[in-house]
């Protein structure tokens, strides 16, 4: 596992390539991803509670949880929760499929964040309506990166 | 005047006895999310390696077709406190050996298996599993006079300026501990949670990987894993952290 | 030898909403990172996660490269009857890893 001078040079070259890699989501690309999720239907703010830290220590692992206000009955429940971002290489993060057997519309996971940005959670209801919440996350850069 | 000087001296001498231990684990510098991740065994990704290490511990291997458990039995008993005592003196070679080195030695000499790679998954998982058995126990470096030279070498390395940036470990981790490098807090560099899951690595890694990380940051040539220098620095840091509790597998940003 | 940590409450009451936590050992290699040779490391991610409860799907998820290495997913379900929960993680090459947990409902 020793890094030779040549490997180090290659790594450094790789790192600078990574910095100029153009592939990146944008708020516009995120909107396309959201439209694909909702079928272009309107999204209202509210009913979704987003729990994510404003300031994170490392963008490689950012804990988040989403709780949607819903009775979770057969006739009235959350069917899907989608998470989207505007600055990672891809706008999609995850889609969670819920059922009335979920009991509560609550999920938690950990995500990667390329940079300080807004994260959006959208809940799809069984009646075909959509609700959302948005949260800004500030990512601090670790001081000593290895690779 | 003299009396005042005397008083100052007396206070100065008495303070260490009253002063609380000023040493802080890297855990104390972390945000609540990362602390919560370490504290919950079902959310701590380091526990995946402990789980894998447990399987390896019980699996016969090598020409001897012996498992670790075949000699050492129940690790929760036999390995309790072991990680807190390394690096130790190896009687056979009369040199200091770290815990990973001891595991390699067992693999090769007693199980007659190929030597596991430093920083490889097998060695890290076994180290994490063995280390986990000492969690919450105080670091207890062996009272072995033969280790004095190794510790002295480690202390010298800790204070030595290295690399193109001409920094020493002590300049960051003693003189500026509690400050920041960029946005990241500078911890006191206590080795009390290794092997640990570092979010930056997205995996488990050893203390010696952490050395490599710091040293490449200083633009110095990193110590080879398992080298005399790396083990000496580890022995010095363990002595410096004596009495602090082990957190293996810790989580760090 | 990928393995998962799964937390299902040992005992639950009928009708109770229980929280299930899963942590899967997986690199979640994004496909966007260059390796030692400067070439991109191929994508290797879990794409689909499914939980069935006595054969019925109660929760599933689609994951993208933005999910962390060693993916953590937590969700809830109603404890209906004693039985088996089956968890499966499928990667982008179509390989599936399965782990089960039993549930006791009183």
């Amino acid at each position: 596992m020793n890094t030779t001078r040549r490997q180090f040079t290659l790594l450094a070259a790789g790192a600078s390539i990574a910095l100029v890699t153009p592939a990146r989501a944008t708020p516009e690309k995120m909107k396309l991803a959201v439209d694909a999720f909702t079928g272009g239907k309107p999204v209202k703010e509210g009913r979704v509670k987003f729990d994510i830290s404003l300031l994170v220590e490392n963008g490689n692992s950012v804990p988040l949880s989403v709780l949607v206000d819903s009775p979770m009955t057969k006739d009235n429940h959350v069917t899907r929760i989608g998470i989207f971002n505007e600055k990672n290489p891809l706008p999609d993060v995850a889609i969670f499929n819920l059922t009335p057997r979920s009991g509560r519309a609550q999920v938690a996971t950990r995500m990667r964040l390329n940079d300080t940005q807004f994260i959006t959670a959208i809940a799809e209801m069984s009646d075909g309506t959509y609700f959302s919440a948005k949260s800004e996350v500030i990512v601090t850069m670790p001081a000593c990166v290895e690779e | 005047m003299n009396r005042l000087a005397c008083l100052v001296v007396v206070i100065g001498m008495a303070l260490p006895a009253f002063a609380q231990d000023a040493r802080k684990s890297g855990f104390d510098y972390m945000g609540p999310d990362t602390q919560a991740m370490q504290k919950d065994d079902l959310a701590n990704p380091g526990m995946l390696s402990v789980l894998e290490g447990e399987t390896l511990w019980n699996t016969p291997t090598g020409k001897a077709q012996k498992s670790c458990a075949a000699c050492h039995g129940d690790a929760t008993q036999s390995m309790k406190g072991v990680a807190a005592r390394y690096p130790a003196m190896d009687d056979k070679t009369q040199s200091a050996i770290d815990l990973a080195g001891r595991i390699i030695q067992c693999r090769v000499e007693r199980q007659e298996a190929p030597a596991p790679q430093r920083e490889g998954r097998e060695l890290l998982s076994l180290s994490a599993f063995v280390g986990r058995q000492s969690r919450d126990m105080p670091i207890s470096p062996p009272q072995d006079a033969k280790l004095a030279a190794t510790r002295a070498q480690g202390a010298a390395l800790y204070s030595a300026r290295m690399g193109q940036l001409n920094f020493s470990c002590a300049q960051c981790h003693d003189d500026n501990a509690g400050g920041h490098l960029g946005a990241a807090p500078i911890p006191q560099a206590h080795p009390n949670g290794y092997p640990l899951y570092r979010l930056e690595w997205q995996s488990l890694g050893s203390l010696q990987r952490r050395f490599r990380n710091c040293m490449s940051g200083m633009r110095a040539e990193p110590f080879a894993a398992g080298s005399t220098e790396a083990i000496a620095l580890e022995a010095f840091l363990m002595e410096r952290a004596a009495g602090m509790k082990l957190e293996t597998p810790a989580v760090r940003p | 030898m990928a393995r998962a940590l799964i937390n299902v409450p040992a005992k639950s009451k009928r009708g109770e909403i229980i929280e299930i936590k899963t942590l899967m050992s997986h690199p979640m290699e994004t496909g966007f990172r260059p390796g030692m040779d400067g070439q991109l490391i191929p994508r290797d991610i879990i794409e689909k996660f499914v939980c069935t409860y006595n054969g019925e799907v109660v929760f599933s998820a689609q994951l993208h490269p933005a999910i962390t290495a060693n993916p953590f997913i937590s969700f809830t379900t109603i404890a209906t009857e004693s039985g088996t929960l089956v968890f499966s993680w499928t990667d982008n090459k179509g390989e599936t890893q399965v782990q089960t947990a039993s549930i006791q409902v009183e």
Side-chain angles (χ1 to χ4, degrees), chain A residues 80-95:
Chain A
R80 294 190 298 163
I81 296 173
I83 316 281
F84 303 91
N85 79 90
E86 51 186 24
K87 281 192 185 171
N88 280 4
L90 298 171
D92 308 271
V93 178
I95 293 171

Side-chain angles (χ1 to χ4, degrees), chain A residues 90-147:
Chain A
L90 298 171
D92 308 271
V93 178
I95 293 171
F96 303 100
N97 304 293
L98 284 72
T99 64
R101 289 191 57 177
S102 297
R104 192 159 63 221
Q106 183 173 26
V107 293
T109 188
R110 294 175 189 151
M111 72 170 293
R112 291 168 168 147
L113 280 173
N114 206 13
D115 202 349
T116 295
Q117 55 182 303
F118 279 96
I119 311 301
T120 300
I122 300 180
E124 178 186 68
M125 306 296 176
S126 51
D127 65 359
T129 57
Y130 293 86
F131 290 86
S132 76
K134 180 161 110 155
S135 189
E136 188 182 22
V137 184
I138 297 168
V139 179
T140 62
M141 295 292 161
C144 295
V145 292
E146 178 184 23
E147 280 152 356

